[in-house]
Amino acid sequence: MRDRGSFESMNFHGAESDDPLISLFTELVRIPSSSGHEREVMDFLTTRLRGLGLAVEESDPIEDHPEAAGNLYCRLPATKSGTPVMLSAHVDTVASEEGALPHPVVEEGVIRSGSRAVLGADDKAAVAAIVRVVEEIVHGSIDHGGIELLLTVGEESGLRGAKASSLEGFSARCGFCFDSTGPVGGLVVRSPSQKTIRATFIGRSAHAGVAPEQGRSAIKAAARAVAEMPLGRIDAETTANIGIIKGGEAVNVVAGRCQIAGEARSHDDARLEEQVTAMLDAISFAATVTEVDVEVSTIDEFHGFDIGGGNPAYDLAWRALEDAGIKPHAASTGGGSDVNVFILKGMSCVNLASGMENVHTSDEYILVESLRQLRRVILAIVARAAS
Ligand SMILES: [Zn+2]
């Protein structure tokens, strides 16, 4: 349990804080921006950055409807020699139940959603800190070696914005994302690869009471397949899950169709292949013994990484954390983020913890102090890259 008594006493609702970072954060989280519906928040950010006299570009839309947006690119040309850096965060959030929206509440130094909605500190804590740092740099004429912003859409729906992004025009070869849970200071050094598996069993519908022998149950096939699969914690490096099963029309009909979908992750690509093969084998075995057809697809969701000392972004982030007076520590994750994609696209990129906790739930929260640390870390990254 955290000792709340040690946090500063600070209670308010909405954007009434006199700290511009906290105000910006609470303002951002009140703008709805579930994946694929980022238009309003992108317009807000574009206006804010253009208000600083910066050139802002939006491209790579991943959906085509009025509420959708593309990734936001913004460049601050270098004012002194140094290493240009990419700062990146995703603006989309997971959808909340029944479209509930946060009414952020700050109590005893902790920011919560104040409703059934997820707060959206994932990843708007990073968006707010990055934008605030850019404002401070522009207003304070702080020298830097070149800053390139990439604010992505569709991270939560499969890293789609990052996958659609183009890093070719960037001068930065070092990138920093702030999209990991846990106290500020964490640097993600390992992430697994992930594949998604979908299967549709196609049997034959029949009346369950009149002529069941004419039917071929797709539900029975799906159940058999799932029962045959190794799932859960496979080994220290590997996990697997079937998370969706859908099928059937009525209790008196032998189900003609049933779909299953699941995933496998591993820090070891060979183990991932073995696991996916075992799941596909279970699917075809089940289809054969239940005499149904099956259509299968597998998708490479993201590729894992394993970085550490000697990696330029990692080393710079480690030293910047120390500069900011925060103890760095290496962390591993079971999840993927835009960083997985940026590394694959050739960027030396590291994912830093932002202080967000209980993400993707209505209990999500972040400490005011974590947001302030995040700002200091980003300023320290910029300063170190320019030195
Ligand atoms: Zn995130």
Side-chain angles (χ1 to χ4, degrees):
M1 288 294 286
R2 292 175 186 280
D3 172 17
R4 298 267 198 77
S6 66
F7 302 134
E8 76 196 271
S9 175
M10 180 182 188
N11 302 298
F12 62 88
H13 291 249
E16 296 151 30
S17 170
D18 53 11
D19 181 334
L21 171 61
I22 309 306
S23 292
L24 175 58
F25 173 69
T26 54
E27 200 169 354
L28 276 172
V29 297
R30 282 181 294 142
I31 303 173
S33 62
S34 60
S35 306
H37 302 269
E38 301 95 344
R39 183 73 273 144
E40 194 180 341
V41 76
M42 276 311 190
D43 287 345
F44 173 90
L45 292 165
T46 299
T47 303
R48 190 116 179 178
L49 291 166
R50 285 196 177 138
L52 297 170
L54 298 172
V56 177
E57 234 182 86
E58 189 183 314
S59 58
D60 334 309
I62 54 169
E63 288 184 30
D64 181 20
H65 56 81
E67 285 182 21
N71 297 317
L72 184 155
Y73 297 81
C74 178
R75 288 191 174 76
L76 285 79
T79 58
K80 65 181 284 197
S81 64
T83 308
V85 292
M86 178 183 84
L87 302 176
S88 181
H90 66 88
V91 304
D92 64 309
T93 63
V94 292
S96 293
E97 76 174 272
E98 292 159 23
L101 270 179
H103 301 286
V105 177
V106 185
E107 278 173 350
E108 297 177 351
V110 186
I111 311 177
R112 299 178 191 280
S113 89
S115 75
R116 287 173 293 111
V118 296
L119 174 62
D122 178 7
D123 194 24
K124 287 176 176 169
V127 176
I130 289 172
V131 171
R132 262 313 289 160
V133 165
V134 167
E135 288 176 343
E136 288 180 60
I137 285 170
V138 172
H139 288 144
S141 303
I142 298 171
D143 281 329
H144 59 87
I147 299 169
E148 292 167 326
L149 304 189
L150 173 50
L151 302 180
T152 62
V153 295
E155 194 272 351
E156 302 287 6
S157 58
L159 318 181
R160 292 165 67 207
K163 285 174 182 171
S165 71
S166 169
L167 306 186
E168 272 153 34
F170 278 63
S171 35
R173 301 318 313 149
C174 262
F176 303 87
C177 295
F178 309 86
D179 189 20
S180 183
T181 58
V184 176
L187 288 167
V188 178
V189 289
R190 298 178 83 214
S191 164
S193 298
Q194 184 191 323
K195 291 194 183 210
T196 298
I197 297 165
R198 294 178 193 280
T200 303
F201 294 91
I202 303 153
R204 193 189 309 139
S205 299
H207 193 293
V210 177
E213 46 284 290
Q214 289 173 15
R216 295 280 180 274
S217 172
I219 287 181
K220 195 171 171 185
R224 183 71 186 263
V226 175
E228 294 286 338
M229 283 179 194
L231 294 172
R233 165 70 58 192
I234 307 300
D235 58 41
E237 308 282 287
T238 314
T239 57
N241 182 53
I242 293 294
I244 298 173
I245 181 159
K246 282 182 193 164
E249 305 286 336
V251 292
N252 62 353
V253 179
V254 175
R257 290 178 85 87
C258 186
Q259 296 174 300
I260 59 171
E263 58 153 57
R265 301 177 190 222
S266 184
H267 289 281
D268 178 330
D269 283 349
R271 289 291 301 118
L272 179 63
E273 286 311 315
E274 283 173 36
Q275 175 59 28
V276 169
T277 302
M279 293 167 83
L280 296 178
D281 286 351
I283 289 167
S284 47
F285 170 76
T288 304
V289 297
T290 57
E291 298 177 59
V292 307
D293 291 329
V294 65
E295 292 168 356
V296 185
S297 68
T298 60
I299 301 164
D300 277 318
E301 293 294 350
F302 50 83
H303 290 268
F305 59 79
D306 197 342
I307 58 174
N311 176 290
Y314 177 84
D315 289 349
L316 199 152
W318 187 280
R319 291 199 298 270
L321 282 163
E322 290 176 335
D323 294 343
I326 296 160
K327 198 170 159 22
H329 64 273
S332 185
T333 177
S337 73
D338 286 349
V339 172
N340 296 63
V341 178
F342 297 150
I343 289 175
L344 212 59
K345 286 177 185 264
M347 180 80 74
S348 170
C349 197
V350 67
N351 193 8
L352 291 88
S354 70
M356 59 190 179
E357 299 284 0
N358 297 343
V359 298
H360 299 190
T361 77
S362 55
D363 295 325
E364 185 186 10
Y365 70 89
I366 188 165
L367 306 185
V368 167
E369 182 54 24
S370 297
L371 272 168
R372 291 179 177 158
Q373 286 180 329
L374 204 51
R375 167 191 160 272
R376 293 210 312 272
V377 171
I378 297 169
L379 277 169
I381 288 171
V382 170
R384 190 156 263 283
S387 65

